[in-house]
Amino acid sequence: MSAPTADRTGRAQLAARAIPRLVEAVALVPLVVMVVDVLRAPKLPLLDYWDVLLRITTPSGGFEPDGLLTLQNEHPLMLPSVLYWINARIFDGDNRTLGLAVVLIAALTVLLLRAALPRSIPPIVRAGLVAAASLLVFSPHGLHNFAMAMSGAAWLMANLFSVAALLLAVRGRWWPAWAAALLACLSYGTGFPVWVGIAVIAVVRGEPVWRRVLPIGALAGVLATWTALRPAVEAGTAGTDDFGTLVFRFFTVVGHLWTAKDAGLAAAAGVAVVAALALLLTVADARRSDLLFWWVLACHGLMCCGMIALARLDYGANQGLTGRYTSLATLSCLPLLVIAAALLARREAAKAAVLAVGVGVLGFALGSPEAISVRSNIREAQVQAIAMRAGIAEDLDYRLPDSDRLNPRLAAMGHFPFSADFSLGCAGPELGSRVDLSTAAPLGAPPGPDAPPAVVGYLDSVEPRDGALLVRGWVSGAGLGARCAILVSADGTVTGGGLVSQPRSDVATEYRWAGQDTGFVVVGRGGPGARLVVVLLDGRVLTTELPAADPEGGT
C-alpha cells in the first residue's frame, strides 16, 4: 500500500470513529439544559410532597416506615418517599437537589437504553439514536418532572427500574430482572406492567414454563397488595364514562411529544405511532431477536399510557397533554424510532442517523411551550415558602397539610423554609424583626407615560385572605430595581415578604420609562396600619400604607 493510500485509509478510519462520537455527544446538550433549568427551579418542594413527608416523618423529624404503606393518588411511592426523606435530612429538603437526583435517574435510563441498542446497527446510527433518546427523555415537555422533582422522582424511577428489568430479562438474567421489576412497582404504579413484558420475553425466548408463569403470579400479588392498600378516591371534576374519551385520552398521552399544546394533533400523532408499530410488526426483519427489547418496551409504554387514560378518565379530555406523562410517551415512541432506524440502516446508515437526530430534535423543540408554562407556574414558589414560615399558608389556601402537624416536623429537621438559610432577601430585615421607617420616602404613584422616571410604584391589588394579605404591584424608575419588598405592621414589625423583579410587560408598554421586570408580589399578616416597604438596590427605602382591599381585586 502506498503512503498516500495509507494516509487516506487512516483518515477514513479516524473519521469513522470520530463522527459517531461527535453525534453521540449531542446527547449531553439536553442533559445540560435540564440541569440549568433544575438549578433555576425554586428551593421549596411543591405538589403532594408535603403530604408524603408528613406521613414518613415522626414529630421529631425521624423516619416513620409505616407511612410508606399509604398510597399517594392510588400509586405506591415507597422508594421515592425514602429519597424525599434522605434529601430532607441531608439537603434541607431542597427541591433542586432532589431535581438533580431526578436528572441522574433520567441519565441512567438513557445509558440503559444505549446499552439495549443492537450491535448490528452501524455506529453512526447508534450514536444518532442515543442522541434522540436523550433529547426525548430530557425534552422540555417533561420539565414538570424535573423542576417539581417530587413528581419526577416517582415517574422516572419507575421507568428506570422497568427499563433495567426488561433489559436484564432479554439477556437472560432472570433474578436481577425480577428484582428490578419489584423495585419498579415500589416506585410508582406505572411499574406494574413490567411483569407482563418479562413474561412475554420468557415466552419468546422459549424459557421453562415456570419462568413464563412466575411474572404473571408476581403481577397478581402486586395487584392484590395494591388493592388491599388502595383507599376510596374522589373522582375528578369532568366525570365521564364515554369510551370515545378514553380512546382520545390514550392516544393523546402516546402522541403528546409531537405537538406543542394541541390535544387533537397529539391524538393523531398517537394513532400514527401505534399504526406504525403495527405495520412494522408485519416486517420479518423488524421481528429479529436483537430488537425484542424494543418491542417489549413499546408494549410497556403503551400499557402505561392506557393505565393513565383509564385512571384519569374523569379529569377532562385534555389531561393527556400533562407534562408529567412525557416519559410514558417517550417509552412508547422511542422504540418505533429505533426499529425503523435499524431497518433503514441496512441500506442508508447516514440517513438513518439523520432521521434519528431530527426526530429527537423535533420532540425536544415542541416541548418549549410546556416548559414556559411550567416556569410560570413555579415562579412564585418563594411566596409560598414565606407564607409557610410566617404561619399564614393556610390562610392563603395553599394545598398543604395541617400546619400544626407539619411545621414542627420541618423545624425539627431544619427543612426549608425552616432552615437556617431562609431569608427574605433584604440583607437585613427578616420575619419578626423591626424596621425604622422614620427616614423612608413615600412610594409615589406614576405621573404619566412620558414623565421623568422618578421612583414610583402602584398597588394592583390588596387581597385579604383571613388573617393574611396578598399584595401585588410594581415599582420602577430612575434606572433602579428593587432589592426586596416586605410587609410590616403598624409598629414596624416585619410580618411578610415576597418576590420582586417579576415580569410586567404591561407596565413597560404603558410607561415607556419603566423596565420589563418591575412586578412584585408580597404576602404577610394584615391589620390596621399595615404597610408595604420596598428596599431599592441603592439601599433607599420606600413605603406606603396599604389601603382597604377592593372586593373586585383593585385598590
Side-chain angles (χ1 to χ4, degrees):
M1 181 181 295
S2 63
T5 301
D7 288 343
R8 286 195 297 272
T9 302
R11 287 195 296 270
Q13 291 175 345
L14 179 62
R17 292 192 299 268
I19 293 177
R21 292 175 182 173
L22 290 174
V23 173
E24 193 167 359
V26 173
L28 297 175
V29 175
L31 185 151
V32 171
V33 170
M34 190 58 72
V35 167
V36 171
D37 255 317
V38 167
L39 293 177
R40 290 174 175 172
K43 183 171 183 178
L44 185 76
L46 299 167
L47 303 174
D48 300 330
Y49 172 89
W50 305 107
D51 296 302
V52 178
L53 190 70
L54 187 62
R55 289 198 303 264
I56 63 171
T57 53
T58 63
S60 62
F63 185 63
E64 178 53 75
D66 288 347
L68 299 178
L69 299 178
T70 301
L71 302 181
Q72 182 67 34
N73 295 329
E74 300 186 82
H75 288 274
L77 216 66
M78 298 173 186
L79 294 185
S81 295
V82 174
L83 182 59
Y84 304 157
W85 188 82
I86 292 173
N87 184 61
R89 297 301 303 185
I90 299 177
F91 299 108
D92 301 337
D94 194 329
N95 173 63
R96 297 166 300 182
T97 56
L98 188 60
L100 292 175
V102 175
V103 170
L104 177 61
I105 290 170
L108 291 174
T109 303
V110 173
L111 290 177
L112 287 176
L113 294 170
R114 179 182 186 273
L117 291 171
R119 293 294 174 182
S120 60
I121 297 179
I124 185 66
V125 182
R126 284 171 52 84
L129 290 171
V130 172
S134 181
L135 285 162
L136 296 181
V137 167
F138 291 106
S139 169
H141 274 293
L143 179 60
H144 173 107
N145 280 335
F146 297 91
M148 290 180 269
M150 175 268 177
S151 183
W155 290 92
L156 301 189
M157 188 181 292
N159 290 349
L160 172 65
F161 287 123
S162 295
V163 170
L166 296 177
L167 182 57
L168 289 166
V170 164
R171 296 183 175 182
R173 300 179 61 184
W174 297 104
W175 285 103
W178 297 331
L182 179 59
L183 293 176
C185 295
L186 295 176
S187 300
Y188 210 59
T190 50
F192 293 1
V194 73
W195 293 107
V196 177
I198 293 175
V200 170
I201 292 171
V203 170
V204 173
R205 284 173 52 93
E207 297 291 334
V209 173
W210 70 273
R211 282 184 181 161
R212 305 181 194 186
V213 175
L214 187 147
I216 302 304
L219 176 59
V222 167
L223 292 176
T225 303
W226 172 79
T227 301
L229 295 175
R230 181 175 180 261
V233 295
E234 293 183 3
T237 58
T240 178
D241 57 0
D242 177 34
F243 179 73
T245 300
L246 174 63
V247 173
F248 180 82
R249 178 80 45 71
F250 168 72
F251 286 116
T252 301
V253 177
V254 173
H256 90 257
L257 271 171
W258 313 113
T259 178
K261 285 288 186 179
D262 190 317
L265 185 57
V271 171
V273 168
V274 175
L277 285 168
L279 286 173
L280 283 175
L281 195 56
T282 66
V283 179
D285 194 29
R287 301 194 301 270
R288 64 183 195 244
S289 60
D290 62 351
L291 292 175
L292 174 60
F293 167 85
W294 296 99
W295 281 110
V296 177
L297 181 62
C299 292
H300 174 80
L302 292 174
M303 284 188 287
C304 290
C305 292
M307 288 176 60
I308 296 304
L310 187 61
R312 292 294 183 262
L313 184 59
D314 51 356
Y315 281 74
N318 291 332
Q319 182 72 13
L321 293 177
T322 304
R324 60 181 176 272
Y325 305 149
T326 298
S327 63
L328 305 184
T330 299
L331 295 184
S332 303
C333 297
L334 182 62
L336 171 61
L337 180 60
V338 172
I339 296 167
L343 297 183
L344 181 59
R346 294 284 180 92
R347 299 183 301 275
E348 299 284 354
K351 291 180 180 178
V354 172
L355 171 68
V357 176
V359 169
V361 170
L362 177 63
F364 186 87
L366 288 173
S368 179
E370 174 65 18
I372 292 172
S373 176
V374 169
R375 294 185 192 110
S376 176
N377 290 339
I378 64 178
R379 181 178 293 125
E380 294 186 3
Q382 178 64 11
V383 177
Q384 179 177 328
I386 293 170
M388 292 175 67
R389 185 64 180 259
I392 56 175
E394 291 177 340
D395 295 336
L396 294 161
D397 298 326
Y398 290 118
R399 293 192 308 163
L400 294 170
D402 179 13
S403 60
D404 290 337
R405 298 178 59 212
L406 178 63
N407 290 0
R409 285 169 164 82
L410 300 181
M413 300 173 75
H415 190 299
F416 186 81
F418 293 84
S419 53
D421 63 343
F422 173 83
S423 174
L424 297 179
C426 283
E430 297 293 345
L431 290 172
S433 63
R434 289 200 175 190
V435 293
D436 181 7
L437 299 179
S438 60
T439 60
L443 180 62
D450 300 308
V455 180
V456 296
Y458 185 74
L459 298 180
D460 292 313
S461 63
V462 179
E463 302 176 34
R465 303 286 186 88
D466 293 331
L469 289 177
L470 176 63
V471 182
R472 295 183 183 274
W474 59 272
V475 60
S476 182
L480 292 174
R483 176 186 298 163
C484 67
I486 58 177
L487 293 187
V488 301
S489 62
D491 64 356
T493 301
V494 179
T495 67
L499 295 173
V500 295
S501 301
Q502 297 302 291
R504 287 296 300 268
S505 58
D506 59 320
V507 174
T509 299
E510 183 170 353
Y511 301 100
R512 287 182 284 275
W513 43 264
Q516 290 284 341
D517 301 326
T518 58
F520 62 77
V521 53
V522 186
V523 293
R525 295 191 179 279
R531 303 186 70 86
L532 170 72
V533 177
V534 178
V535 180
L536 301 178
L537 290 174
D538 64 357
R540 282 190 294 162
V541 179
L542 307 176
T543 184
T544 185
E545 186 170 351
L546 296 177
D550 183 341
E552 298 298 325
T555 59

